[in-house]
Amino acid sequence: MAGPHFIVFANEKGGTGKSTTAVHAAVALTASGRRVAALDMDTRQRTLGRYLDNRVETVKRLGIDLPMPLYDTFDPAKGEPIDAALDRIGAEADIVVVDTPGRDDPDARKAMLRADTLVTPINDSFVDLDLIGQVDAETYRVRRPSFYAELVWNSRTQRAKTHGASVDWVVLRNRMQHIEARNMRRVGEALGELSRRVGFRVIPGLGERVIYRELFPKGLTLLDLPHLGEVGIGHIAARQELREMIAGFALPSENGPAAAPARTAALAG
């Protein structure tokens, strides 16, 4: 029997919407009928874990039934190695969503080696793009991949050697619609060049909306519209963004392979 499909959300920079995206992905996949487990690896911030804690309290308080993934928080102080924690939480799951801390972390690096789908959310700006590749100040052309891109490349290479499996690296362009058009085009062109050199796919992520911050205290998601009270056009549009993002992950069906296998590429210097 094949093991679960690991979706690892990783970005060494904070403030990119990583945990919000991971929570919504875990709930959306649960709502679709998948058996989903989620592991929060950011023991200090614990955004994913707290979000789902709030969701549990809302279920109890309102007496409603909401899609709920199995979830836990990884704590290295307890002595359980990260690989053991991933095996444990994935034992009864089809999909495991892992939210890593927004910093370089040795356990996060190990989790990346388990990724079948590696998701790197970035804000649609050159500040966040610098995490993946350095851009020339005059031409906006990519000069070279960054340290993080090299880290991902090494992780993918090691996984291929150890497990004989490929990794689908997906870069999410979050908050696209609220930036100046010329800047958005330049970022898009640089990402396109990098994707060809380093080997990742680019898909649109979640927009910059107050909606997401308002959902956190109740642990609700954009799929829980009947429980949100007054719903506007913005909620509907954001829910569609979420659905398109999940489709963009191109995850394997329960009976078949992923629709968009990872591409291979050499890391250019």
Side-chain angles (χ1 to χ4, degrees):
M1 178 180 177
H5 186 97
F6 285 89
I7 309 174
V8 179
F9 287 79
N11 187 326
E12 293 182 5
K13 182 182 180 300
T16 61
K18 177 173 57 62
S19 296
T20 298
T21 307
V23 167
H24 275 73
V27 172
L29 290 166
T30 303
S32 73
R34 301 295 192 101
R35 298 184 306 159
V36 180
L39 185 66
D40 191 338
M41 291 188 63
D42 194 340
T43 311
R44 290 181 290 185
Q45 295 279 345
R46 199 175 172 268
T47 303
L48 180 143
R50 286 167 52 223
Y51 203 122
L52 293 175
D53 285 345
N54 294 342
R55 189 171 180 83
V56 170
E57 290 303 314
T58 293
V59 168
K60 294 178 180 177
R61 185 176 65 256
L62 300 181
I64 58 177
D65 186 24
L66 295 174
M68 192 73 207
L70 173 71
Y71 70 101
D72 197 5
T73 299
F74 173 68
D75 185 356
K78 293 181 179 179
E80 182 182 31
I82 183 58
D83 283 324
L86 291 169
D87 288 339
R88 172 176 54 80
I89 200 166
E92 301 298 326
D94 303 318
I95 295 176
V96 178
V97 174
V98 182
D99 185 22
T100 63
R103 61 181 183 275
D104 186 21
D105 179 88
D107 287 315
R109 293 191 181 200
K110 292 178 182 178
M112 288 170 64
L113 292 175
R114 299 288 289 270
D116 298 293
T117 301
L118 178 65
V119 182
T120 301
I122 65 169
N123 296 325
D124 214 53
S125 71
F126 283 108
V127 174
D128 280 19
L129 179 61
D130 191 65
L131 174 81
I132 304 173
Q134 298 177 17
V135 177
D136 186 272
E138 298 295 332
T139 65
Y140 296 99
R141 297 295 302 275
V142 175
R143 295 169 56 193
R144 57 180 174 271
S146 70
F147 170 79
Y148 182 76
E150 293 175 353
L151 171 63
V152 173
W153 174 259
N154 291 334
S155 296
R156 295 167 79 183
T157 302
Q158 185 173 343
R159 176 175 168 79
K161 291 179 179 178
T162 305
H163 302 286
S166 61
V167 180
D168 187 15
W169 185 14
V170 178
V171 172
L172 284 182
R173 293 181 71 181
N174 280 337
R175 301 167 178 152
M176 288 179 60
Q177 67 270 37
H178 294 280
I179 64 173
E180 188 267 327
R182 184 173 61 177
N183 182 68
M184 183 170 67
R185 186 185 69 251
R186 285 173 172 170
V187 171
E189 290 171 351
L191 274 172
E193 182 181 344
L194 264 173
S195 71
R196 292 187 291 272
R197 292 176 63 177
V198 182
F200 56 77
R201 296 191 293 117
V202 182
I203 66 173
L206 304 180
E208 173 63 273
R209 287 190 170 92
V210 177
I211 292 170
Y212 296 106
R213 294 190 289 272
E214 293 176 341
L215 294 174
F216 176 82
K218 295 182 179 180
L220 295 176
T221 73
L222 293 165
L223 299 176
D224 307 313
L225 294 188
H227 307 290
L228 295 182
E230 185 176 349
V231 175
I233 297 299
H235 292 84
I236 304 299
R239 183 178 64 178
Q240 184 60 28
E241 283 180 351
L242 171 62
R243 288 173 171 169
E244 290 175 357
M245 181 191 75
I246 297 297
F249 288 160
L251 300 177
S253 68
E254 295 184 69
N255 300 311
R263 67 175 76 171
T264 58
L267 183 64

